[in-house]
Amino acid sequence: MFIIIVSALTFIIGVLYYFLKRKTSFSEVRGLHVMVTGGSSGIGKCMAIEAAKGGARVTLVARDQLRLQKAKSEVESHMTRECSQMVVCLSLDISMNLSDVERAVKEAEETQGPVDVLINCAGTSMSAKFLDTPLIEFRRMMEINYLGSVMVTRAVVPSMIKKKSGRIVFVSSMAGQLGLFGYTAYSSSKFALRGFAESLQMELKPYNIKVTLAFPPDTDTPGFAEEQKIKPKETRLLSEAGGLFQPDTVAKIILKDSLKGKFLSSVGIDGFMVSTLTCGFSPATSFMEGLSQVTLMGLFRLIALSYLAYFDYVIKKCKDEDEIKSVKKSS
């Protein structure tokens, strides 16, 4: 009976925390300069739109100039009429070299003022079995998903330290919390972001600069649609268990969590469970967050073991089916 009562209380605490933690207002970005890498599409563009709705000055960073201009028009259509706003575009490959990134950031700050909120959303994905993944893809993932975020952050942090305030967001992935079949290259680059974010938040905390590490689930974006074309069937079956979210929903949650100064940002019940399980030495930014992590860890670990058993079952089933097909072809 005692175990049942404790489990019930634990579950109630977790549910209450999950639904209460989102309360905040986008008006907190009013008048601030928000820079979004990967801002021409997907989650990045949606976060830029939410910032514009809140009255922020927005800088969009991406490689494709044509897509940037289209995104600019869309973001401008959501600007408020109550304050002076501007949307600036920077056509830039953030994975190239630091001097180009620093020059572009300086150009944006001369027009928009120092960056108050940096959203590192630029990234790329791919999925393939390890032996089918060219080694160059491991390097490409690290250069774009990890080093790109490092370089833009390096260019922005000095001005934040000078004014002793700022927000920095790293958009990782649920694949940056647990390794999945087919994501040996992608997960590696997203896991790297966690180590960087955890170390960076310790260094920047004395300067009132908050770091947020976001773990969005599968999201209905152009990049996701492209990845689906070559995704191994095992990866597709495993990822389907978490569902598919809309980019505007994901963007709202991440931006709200950043404005609240949260370090970990998750989406959906599964995301909350995985973030709780993998919190490790990540900072708890509220008493309720820490309490929910402590009380729910055991229960969520039990659930996770059942997930892992299911994943193993799916992978073995796919392997057996492939072997049967191979035998039929050879006979």
Side-chain angles (χ1 to χ4, degrees):
M1 178 64 72
F2 176 75
I3 295 175
I4 295 175
I5 294 173
V6 171
S7 299
L9 287 174
T10 297
F11 179 75
I12 292 170
I13 289 172
V15 171
L16 285 174
Y17 172 70
Y18 175 76
F19 286 106
L20 291 176
K21 69 175 182 172
R22 304 298 181 192
K23 290 186 177 180
T24 192
S25 170
F26 287 147
S27 63
E28 295 177 42
V29 298
R30 184 177 300 280
L32 300 184
H33 178 191
V34 178
M35 177 177 284
V36 186
T37 71
S40 63
S41 66
I43 297 172
K45 184 178 73 174
C46 288
M47 291 190 76
I49 288 173
E50 294 302 327
K53 288 179 180 178
R57 305 187 303 278
V58 178
T59 296
L60 302 175
V61 182
R63 287 177 295 180
D64 192 309
Q65 185 65 50
L66 181 60
R67 290 173 68 182
L68 269 173
Q69 290 302 320
K70 289 182 179 179
K72 177 183 178 181
S73 298
E74 191 171 348
V75 174
E76 286 177 334
S77 69
H78 291 277
M79 293 192 307
T80 68
R81 299 176 181 272
E82 302 172 11
C83 54
S84 176
Q85 290 178 271
M86 183 185 298
V87 178
V88 170
C89 293
L90 294 179
S91 180
L92 173 70
D93 184 346
I94 62 171
S95 67
M96 292 302 291
N97 60 72
L98 181 59
S99 59
D100 286 347
V101 173
E102 288 178 329
R103 186 162 48 250
V105 169
K106 184 178 180 181
E107 176 186 330
E109 291 188 328
E110 287 175 352
T111 305
Q112 301 271 61
V115 176
D116 298 293
V117 181
L118 170 62
I119 300 171
N120 290 291
C121 199
T124 186
S125 65
M126 67 139 328
S127 57
K129 295 179 181 179
F130 173 61
L131 293 180
D132 295 333
T133 306
L135 289 179
I136 193 172
E137 284 298 323
F138 283 84
R139 177 173 285 111
R140 187 175 75 92
M141 291 287 143
M142 291 299 292
E143 288 176 347
I144 297 174
N145 295 345
Y146 172 64
L147 289 174
S149 294
V150 171
M151 285 195 284
V152 178
T153 303
R154 183 68 173 263
V156 166
V157 161
S159 63
M160 288 186 174
I161 289 178
K162 188 175 181 179
K163 61 191 178 67
K164 290 184 171 55
S165 68
R167 294 283 190 276
I168 300 174
V169 181
F170 296 101
V171 179
S172 180
S173 165
M174 283 188 72
Q177 296 171 291
L178 69 159
L180 281 179
F181 187 107
Y183 280 144
T184 52
Y186 179 65
S187 282
S188 302
S189 64
K190 292 298 188 177
F191 265 79
L193 273 179
R194 178 164 204 145
F196 177 54
E198 287 188 355
S199 300
L200 187 67
Q201 67 86 24
M202 282 190 180
E203 293 189 23
L204 300 183
K205 190 174 182 179
Y207 301 97
N208 192 35
I209 301 170
K210 307 293 185 182
V211 174
T212 297
L213 181 62
F215 300 108
D218 281 347
T219 307
D220 190 11
T221 64
F224 177 79
E226 194 64 28
E227 182 192 349
Q228 289 292 95
K229 297 176 182 178
I230 60 170
K231 184 179 288 185
K233 63 179 178 181
E234 293 93 339
T235 311
R236 188 173 62 254
L237 290 170
L238 298 184
S239 61
E240 283 175 355
L244 185 65
F245 288 75
Q246 293 304 307
D248 57 337
T249 300
V250 174
K252 288 176 183 178
I253 291 172
I254 296 175
L255 187 56
K256 283 182 177 181
D257 285 346
S258 172
L259 295 177
K260 290 184 68 174
K262 287 179 57 62
F263 180 73
L264 296 176
S265 176
S266 60
V267 179
I269 294 295
D270 281 354
F272 174 59
M273 180 184 73
V274 176
S275 289
T276 300
L277 274 173
T278 61
C279 62
F281 266 73
S282 297
T285 45
S286 73
F287 173 78
M288 280 299 295
E289 182 180 21
L291 179 63
S292 69
Q293 289 169 349
V294 171
T295 56
L296 290 170
M297 190 80 71
L299 175 63
F300 283 171
R301 175 57 176 166
L302 185 62
I303 296 173
L305 289 173
S306 65
Y307 268 83
L308 290 171
Y310 170 72
F311 292 166
D312 288 341
Y313 165 77
V314 170
I315 293 168
K316 185 179 185 305
K317 183 180 179 182
C318 289
K319 177 179 176 294
D320 291 343
E321 290 174 351
D322 289 343
E323 288 178 349
I324 291 172
K325 289 179 182 178
S326 179
V327 169
K328 287 183 177 179
K329 283 184 180 180
S330 59
S331 61

